[in-house]
Every structure is written in C-alpha cells, then in structure tokens.
Amino acid sequence: MFPLLAVVGFVFAGALMERGGMAAQIVEVASMLVGHIRGGLGIVTILGCMFFASMIGSGPGTVAAMGSIMIPTMVRRGYSPEYAAGVCATGGTLGILIPPSNPMIIYGVVANTSIAGLFMAGFIPGFVLTSLMCITAYCIAKKRGYQGTNEKFSIVGLCKAIWDGKWALATPVIMLGGIYCGVFTPTEAAEVGVLWTLFVGLFVYRKLTWKNISSALIRTSAFAGSATVLVGVSMAFSRLLTLYHIPQSVGAFLGSISTDPTITLLLIAFFIFLCGFVADTLAMVVVLAPVFLPITNALGIHPIQLGILFVVCCETGFLTPPFGANLFITMKITDVKLEEVALKAFPYLCTIWLLIILIAACPQLVMFLPNLLM
C-alpha cells in the first residue's frame, strides 16, 4: 500500500526536526507572540505543540520534542511540575489532529478515503481545540497566580523571531501547501519533508549529526514496522468481520438505541474513549474503523467526518491511564506520579470532549474545507 510510505516519511522527518533544532525555533516564535500573557508559558507550550504537530503528525513525538524544552523552562519560572507536565501532555495530543497526521493516513488507507481530504478536514477542529486549550491554560494560570515571561510584547521582537525561525516555519507550508496545490501527493510530501529537514538541519542550523540521523532512522524503523504489521492484520480482521456479519450486528445494536446520526456518533465516540484506556491509537483505528464505517455510511455520515471523530477520540487515549502515552513521557521528564499528571490534564480532556460533541452535532465544522477545496 503506497500511502503507508507517508507514515514512514512523516515520522522520520519529525525525528530529524526534533534533533535538528527546529522545535526550539518554533518555541521562540510562540514565546514572543503570547509569552507575556498571564500563564503565557503554558499557552506557548500549546501553540508550540500546534506548530510542531503541523510538521510531524505524531502525538508522543510532539510531547517529547516540546516537553524537553518547555517543562524545565516552566518549572524554573515557578510553575508546578504537575501543571507543566499536564499542559505539555495535553498540547501533544494536537500532534494527531493538526495535519499531517499518521492516524489520518492509516484511517485513509483502511477506509479507502482521501487522505488529502482528511488533512483539510483537520484544520478547523485543530484550531478550535487549540483555542479551547489556550483558554483553559489561561484560566488555570489566573487561578494559580502564574505569570508570563518578563518580556513585553513587541512587533519588532516577533518579526525577528519569525525571521530567525523562517526555515522551521516554512516546513509545514512546503509540505501541506504542496499537497493542497496539487504539486505532490501526501506520500511525496512526506519525502519532500525529509529532504527539507535534512537540508535545514545539516546546512542551516547545523545541529544534525550522523549520530542523530542514525538514531532517527532507528526510531522510524521501529515505528514503521509496528504500523505495517497493524495495517496488515487489520485487513484480514476486516475481512473476518464482514464474513461473520459483525458490523451488521453492531449496527443493529446501535440502531436499537438511536438512528439519529449525532447520537450514533456520540455512542461511537464513547466506545472509542473506553477503548483508549487499554489500546494504542493506531490499533484502535485499524480495528474499529471497519466495524463502524458500514454503520455510519448507512446513516449518510461522510467517512471524513467519522475519520476526524476517530482521531479526536484517540486523542483522549493519550491522556487516560493506564495506557496514556503522553502521560508517561511527561512523567519521565518531570519525575511526577502518573495520577498527578492525569489529574492536571483532566480540564483539557474536557475540552477535547467538547470538540467531540461539536464534531458530532455540526458536520460542517469538519466538512467545510474539504467541500470548498476538493
């Protein structure tokens, strides 16, 4: 399956960006933009995760890159380690919603749906969720008395930060702009991203070494191997589901509860949320998508809307123990107990559920850009 190469490319590009200094440039731009606001470092973390997510497509990868920079900075500025870990773990969930997104690619392959369409559909929900998270971070910071950076907002300083970080900020423009303008496919965009990050890391920032590149290759190989096995097994699993009429049985059960599209999507979202406690994101996509697609198709729900709902629901799995990957990464950075990080991430988890309700009730939130541009 040729589109699966896009997953490998985006993961490798993300690993190179993390090691090549691009994450630090993105943080500098976000800090100059909103760092002066009360609780600004928390908002900087969320915005940094949003920008970095637009380049790598991985939730845990976003947390690892941003957390290693922002968590020690927040702790030095008087923020509690628990708060720093919670806001970083939550911001990292944007890694699979802001395009490009590895789970979107896998869903597109499994559901035989346009990957470019899924990328377009993720933009508006991604910006809505980022805004909700920033508002939540501000309210918590105001209640706890957290301050922003000591630097005043300056247009000159912001422009300088943007100019210094232009090479990093150009990455999503090149990859996503090329996709939407029809210059290349998502798979080709991933490979262009790899070449671009190699060029920037080696010749512009000069922070990439052959040791860094080899470690990025090892990490990418491990991820690509597991993803390929998951998708291969899911194809056989979907055939078995069809053979034994499982989707029809599940559809009959859901139909006995409600035939309203919004209610059905919320029931599906709640089921995915429960699975997120014990299952990996990609595993949920490849196993559950073949079950729910026939049901939603029968109700006239577009596969792209279901795909975005899937991705947002999978975000909750990053924040719910015992399997929450983002919680474990931030826990290791801060030496804070898992339950404390999960507790601090709970208010942000509520914002994700608010977005899930909006997606289920308002299809145009997802479908506006795909209908406009495709």
Side-chain angles (χ1 to χ4, degrees):
M1 292 182 178
F2 190 71
L4 288 179
L5 289 175
V7 176
V8 182
F10 284 127
V11 171
F12 186 37
L16 292 174
M17 291 171 196
E18 181 183 343
R19 292 159 174 79
M22 292 187 176
Q25 294 292 334
I26 291 169
V27 167
E28 182 63 26
V29 173
S31 181
M32 291 302 301
L33 182 64
V34 297
H36 62 285
I37 300 173
R38 179 181 289 275
L41 288 179
I43 301 175
V44 167
T45 302
I46 294 169
L47 290 181
C49 288
M50 182 192 73
F51 284 118
F52 199 71
S54 67
M55 297 187 289
I56 73 169
S58 168
T62 301
V63 175
M66 290 293 112
S68 59
I69 298 171
M70 291 307 303
I71 289 178
T73 303
M74 282 192 279
V75 172
R76 285 196 300 268
R77 294 290 181 90
Y79 291 67
S80 71
E82 296 85 0
Y83 172 85
V87 73
C88 191
T90 308
T93 62
L94 296 169
I96 64 170
L97 180 56
I98 303 289
S101 163
N102 294 330
M104 286 184 192
I105 297 170
I106 299 297
Y107 175 87
V109 171
V110 173
N112 194 26
T113 302
S114 168
I115 295 173
L118 287 165
F119 283 2
M120 294 177 193
F123 270 110
I124 294 178
F127 287 129
V128 170
L129 184 57
T130 301
S131 301
L132 291 173
M133 287 182 177
C134 288
I135 293 170
T136 304
Y138 174 81
C139 293
I140 295 174
K142 186 175 181 180
K143 182 179 179 180
R144 291 172 169 258
Y146 294 143
Q147 301 298 318
T149 59
N150 296 325
E151 300 177 4
K152 291 184 178 180
F153 177 75
S154 168
I155 292 292
V156 175
L158 176 60
C159 292
K160 183 179 184 302
I162 292 174
W163 178 256
D164 292 340
K166 59 184 179 294
W167 297 97
L169 297 175
T171 307
V173 176
I174 292 172
M175 292 193 296
L176 298 176
I179 294 172
Y180 301 143
C181 292
V183 178
F184 36 68
T185 66
T187 303
E188 293 164 344
E191 317 317 324
V192 169
V194 170
L195 294 176
W196 175 258
T197 51
L198 279 172
F199 170 75
V200 174
L202 288 172
F203 302 110
V204 179
Y205 296 146
R206 298 182 180 180
K207 292 187 177 181
L208 269 184
T209 63
W210 293 115
K211 183 179 179 180
N212 289 339
I213 294 174
S214 63
S215 68
L217 280 169
I218 293 170
R219 173 180 168 183
T220 303
S221 300
F223 181 88
S226 62
T228 304
V229 171
L230 276 172
V231 174
V233 172
S234 78
M235 295 293 101
F237 183 70
S238 63
R239 298 286 180 89
L240 284 174
L241 290 175
T242 304
L243 182 65
Y244 289 102
H245 306 290
I246 301 298
Q248 292 87 336
S249 301
V250 175
F253 172 72
L254 292 177
S256 66
I257 300 175
S258 174
T259 56
D260 182 82
T262 301
I263 301 298
T264 301
L265 284 175
L266 290 176
L267 290 171
I268 291 172
F270 183 69
F271 184 79
I272 298 171
F273 171 69
L274 295 179
C275 291
F277 281 88
V278 294
D280 176 70
T281 298
L282 296 184
M284 287 192 290
V285 172
V286 298
V287 171
L288 297 179
V291 175
F292 293 128
L293 272 167
I295 301 166
T296 55
N297 287 339
L299 294 175
I301 299 170
H302 199 287
I304 289 180
Q305 184 185 4
L306 178 64
I308 299 302
L309 183 82
F310 245 102
V311 170
V312 178
C313 291
C314 287
E315 287 188 65
T316 64
F318 288 134
L319 302 176
T320 51
F323 203 82
N326 289 12
L327 299 179
F328 280 101
I329 293 173
T330 54
M331 182 183 70
K332 291 178 181 178
I333 296 174
T334 57
D335 291 327
V336 174
K337 293 181 180 179
L338 179 66
E339 58 269 23
E340 293 178 346
V341 181
L343 185 63
K344 297 302 180 185
F346 180 76
Y348 303 96
L349 185 62
C350 295
T351 66
I352 297 176
W353 263 105
L354 178 58
L355 179 64
I356 290 172
I357 295 171
L358 290 174
I359 290 172
C362 183
Q364 281 305 307
L365 184 69
V366 172
M367 298 304 302
F368 177 75
L369 285 180
N371 290 337
L372 181 67
L373 300 175
M374 291 182 65

